[in-house]
Amino acid sequence: QFVESGGGLAQPGGSLGLSCRASRMITSVFNPLEFAWFRQAPGKQRELVATIGRASDPVTNYVDSVKGRFIISRNNARKTLYLQMNNLKPEDTAVYYCNKFRAPDSWGQGTQVTVSP
């Protein structure tokens, strides 16, 4: 029920903005949930990238490798999550997914991010 978009090709040092819409989730369910962005690089396990708290307390947390470069946010009226990625590095190359932070639902298709000169 998550539809990710916004990926693409970027050069090192560049920026991309990802979006993720919880297409089938009603607002009363969306708002109290914590969400996260995850990523999976080729040949590696899926890893947590960033989390954001519920609508009434949207505290954010980041894995060390993206701190200071990525920003997670949410628009509750649109039931949409965002991940602004700045100063991209080749090691950020992966398929990016969003999901509930706790007890993830089924995974969407993800969106491919490739960082290359």
Side-chain angles (χ1 to χ4, degrees):
Q1 61 175 321
F2 297 101
V3 180
E4 299 94 346
S5 62
L9 176 64
Q11 293 187 339
S15 297
L16 284 173
L18 307 184
S19 299
C20 169
R21 188 159 190 275
S23 58
R24 283 180 275 169
M25 194 176 286
I26 60 176
T27 302
S28 61
V29 172
F30 183 87
N31 286 354
L33 292 174
E34 300 170 289
F35 291 98
W37 281 94
F38 302 82
R39 66 185 179 187
Q40 187 166 18
K44 295 187 177 181
Q45 289 190 333
R46 187 175 286 144
E47 66 169 347
L48 178 67
V49 175
T51 66
I52 188 164
R54 58 189 182 274
S56 59
D57 187 22
V59 175
T60 60
N61 285 287
Y62 302 90
V63 66
D64 285 347
S65 60
V66 307
K67 278 182 182 176
R69 300 189 297 123
F70 288 13
I71 301 171
I72 185 173
S73 60
R74 62 189 291 164
N75 183 315
N76 301 306
R78 296 182 177 180
K79 297 176 292 181
T80 300
L81 305 168
Y82 303 96
L83 186 68
Q84 178 63 38
M85 306 185 296
N86 302 316
N87 191 20
L88 284 162
K89 303 178 180 181
E91 51 264 42
D92 295 320
T93 295
V95 179
Y96 284 71
Y97 304 86
C98 70
N99 211 317
K100 296 189 301 181
F101 175 45
R102 305 182 195 281
D105 287 336
S106 58
W107 296 92
Q109 294 294 311
T111 186
Q112 175 71 49
V113 171
T114 302
V115 184
S116 179

